[in-house]
C-alpha cells in the first residue's frame, strides 16, 4: 500500500494493487458527506481487434458500449433499481478507450460498493436479452443520427481519419450491432474485465483500513487466470480522408466544423503537457477575452455557441472549431486567416499566459471539492499515463515558446478538414 500526501493541495491518495491485479485508489476527503466510486476497464470502442491467449478476434463495432448496457441487467432484475433502493445514483459511460461504471451516495456506501463490484464482475447474457438490447441500441443510434451536433462530429471523424476506429460511432452502426452475440459479450467481458485491466477509485471520508479490507475480501473470492492480451492497432495515414464535406439536414441554422488532424509520436507526459498548452493557445486566440472573438461576433460569423478544443490521445489527436453561422464558408476562411495571422506575429505574451494559468489553477482547485470530478478525472489521467495531482506542475512548466510552437505545429492546413451542415 502506498500513501501519498500532496501538501500544497492538502490531498491524500492511498493506492494498492491487489494480488489479482486490480488497482485500487482511495482519495481521502475528510468531512465530506458524499462518497463517489468509479470502476473502470481499459476497454473502449476502438478496441475491436485483439489477440488473447494466442487467439485473434475481430469483434463487431459498438460492442464495448453494448456490453456497458448489458452489465446493468441481471437474472433477478435491473441493478439501477437496486442502487436506488440503497439511496445511490448510478451511471456508466463508454468512450473511445474505456468503460466506467459509477455511483454516488451519502449513506449505505458499502452496500453500494458491493453492488457495483458484483454488477461489473458477474455478467449475465442470454440470446433473448441480447436481441432485446439490439432493438434498444438501434433506437439510440437513430436518435444520435438525427442530432445535428452529433452528426456534425461523427462526419468530421470520418473526414479526418482514414482507417482508425475513432471514425466509427462509439455505439457502432445499425449493421454492426446486429452481429453481436452473447458469446461475443462473454469473450469481451472475460478478456477486458479482468482485474489486472481495471481500476477502482473511491473518493470520500472513509476509514482506510475498513475500505481496503472490504475490497480485498471481495476480490479474494474472484477466480482469475491472467491472460496474455495484445491489442491490434491500425496504421493511420497522415493525410485526411476528406478535405471538405457538406451535410443536408433539417436545421434552423447552418453549422460548420473545422478540424485539424495532428499526427504525433509523443510519449504520455509530452501529450499531457500539449493538452494544456493547446488549451491555453486556443483560449488566448479565440476565448472571450480575445479581440479576435469579438471580431468574429461583430462580423456575424459566429455566435456565443462558438466552441473549440484540442483532444490528444496516444494514437490520435485533433483540434475542432464548431460554429453556427449564416455564412459558413466565410466563417471558415476567417478562422483560418486568424490562425495564419497569429502564426506570423508575436501574438502570445507572458502576461496572457499567466492570466490563463491563474484561471486554470483556480478552476482546478475549486474542482477538487467535487468527489465526482476527482474520481472521473483521476481515472482519465491515470489511464492516460498521468496524475491528476501533477496538473499544477504541468501548468507551471508551460512557456510562451511552448504555446507558440504548439499552435504553429498542431494547426496545419495540410491536415485540415471542413464539414458544413446546411438546411435541407
Amino acid at each position: 500500500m502506498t500513501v501519498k500526501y500532496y501538501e500544497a493541495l492538502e490531498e491524500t491518495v492511498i493506492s494498492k494493487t491487489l494480488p489479482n491485479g486490480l488497482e485500487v485508489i482511495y482519495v481521502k476527503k475528510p468531512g465530506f458527506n458524499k462518497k463517489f466510486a468509479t470502476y473502470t476497464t481499459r476497454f473502449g470502442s476502438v478496441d475491436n481487434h485483439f489477440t488473447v491467449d494466442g487467439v485473434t478476434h475481430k469483434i463487431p463495432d459498438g460492442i464495448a458500449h453494448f456490453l456497458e448496457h448489458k452489465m446493468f441487467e441481471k437474472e433477478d432484475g435491473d441493478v439501477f433499481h437496486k442502487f436506488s433502493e440503497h439511496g445511490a445514483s448510478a451511471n456508466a459511460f463508454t468512450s473511445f478507450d474505456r468503460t466506467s461504471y459509477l455511483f454516488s451516495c451519502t449513506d449505505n456506501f458499502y452496500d453500494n460498493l458491493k453492488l457495483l463490484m458484483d454488477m461489473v464482475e458477474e455478467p449475465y447474457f442470454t440470446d433473448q436479452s441480447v436481441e432485446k438490447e439490439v432493438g434498444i441500441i438501434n433506437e439510440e443510434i437513430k436518435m444520435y443520427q438525427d442530432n445535428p451536433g452529433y452528426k456534425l462530429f461523427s462526419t468530421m471523424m470520418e473526414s479526418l481519419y482514414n482507417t482508425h476506429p475513432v471514425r466509427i460511432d462509439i455505439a457502432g452502426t445499425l449493421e454492426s450491432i446486429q452481429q453481436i452475440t452473447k458469446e461475443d459479450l462473454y469473450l469481451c467481458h472475460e478478456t477486458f474485465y479482468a482485474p489486472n485491466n481495471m481500476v477502482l477509485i473511491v473518493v470520500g471520508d472513509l476509514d482506510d483500513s475498513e475500505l481496503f479490507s472490504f475490497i480485498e475480501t471481495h476480490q479474494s473470492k474472484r477466480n482469475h487466470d491472467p491472460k496474455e492480451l495484445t491489442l491490434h492497432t491500425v496504421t493511420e495515414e497522415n493525410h485526411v480522408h476528406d478535405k471538405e464535406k457538406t451535410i443536408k439536414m433539417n436545421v434552423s441554422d447552418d453549422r460548420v466544423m473545422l478540424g485539424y488532424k495532428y499526427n504525433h509520436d509523443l510519449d504520455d507526459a509530452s501529450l499531457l503537457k500539449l493538452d494544456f498548452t493547446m488549451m491555453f493557445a486556443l483560449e488566448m486566440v479565440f476565448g472571450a477575452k480575445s479581440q479576435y472573438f469579438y471580431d468574429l461576433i461583430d462580423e456575424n460569423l459566429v455566435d456565443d455557441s462558438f466552441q473549440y478544443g484540442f483532444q490528444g490521445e496516444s494514437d490520435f489527436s485533433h483540434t475542432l472549431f464548431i460554429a453556427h453561422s449564416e455564412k459558413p464558408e466565410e466563417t471558415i476562411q476567417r478562422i483560418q486567416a486568424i490562425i495564419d495571422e497569429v502564426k506570423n506575429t508575436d501574438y502570445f505574451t507572458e502576461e496572457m499566459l499567466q492570466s490563463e494559468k491563474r484561471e486554470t489553477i483556480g478552476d482546478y482547485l475549486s474542482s477538487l471539492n467535487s468527489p465526482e470530478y476527482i474520481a472521473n478525472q483521476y481515472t482519465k489521467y491515470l489511464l492516460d499515463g498521468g496524475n491528476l495531482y501533477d496538473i499544477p506542475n504541468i501548468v507551471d512548466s508551460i512557456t510562451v515558446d511552448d504555446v507558440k510552437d504548439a499552435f504553429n505545429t498542431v494547426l496545419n492546413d495540410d491536415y485540415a478538414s471542413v464539414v458544413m451542415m446546411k438546411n435541407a
Side-chain angles (χ1 to χ4, degrees), residues 15 23 58-59 71-72 76 81-82 88 99 118 131 136 151 158-159 162 166 201 268 285 304 322 337 367 375 399:
S15 59
E23 189 171 5
K58 183 69 170 70
I59 55 176
M71 293 309 297
F72 283 92
D76 59 350
H81 179 65
K82 295 181 180 179
T99 305
D118 285 344
E131 183 179 356
I136 294 171
K151 183 66 174 178
E158 294 172 357
S159 297
N162 298 281
V166 72
I201 297 181
D268 291 337
V285 178
D304 57 9
I322 310 108
S367 296
T399 66

Side-chain angles (χ1 to χ4, degrees), residues 21-57:
L22 177 65
E23 189 171 5
V24 181
I25 295 164
Y26 169 45
V27 181
K28 195 173 183 66
K29 300 295 286 185
F32 276 58
N33 289 324
K34 180 179 282 189
K35 288 90 174 172
F36 199 92
T38 61
Y39 204 2
T40 301
T41 172
R42 296 171 175 86
F43 180 44
S45 65
V46 302
D47 302 316
N48 58 7
H49 189 196
F50 58 91
T51 297
V52 59
D53 289 346
V55 181
T56 299
H57 303 273

Side-chain angles (χ1 to χ4, degrees), residues 387-398:
N387 186 321
L388 173 65
Y389 294 106
D390 284 342
I391 286 179
N393 293 330
I394 296 172
V395 168
D396 185 60
S397 72
I398 296 171

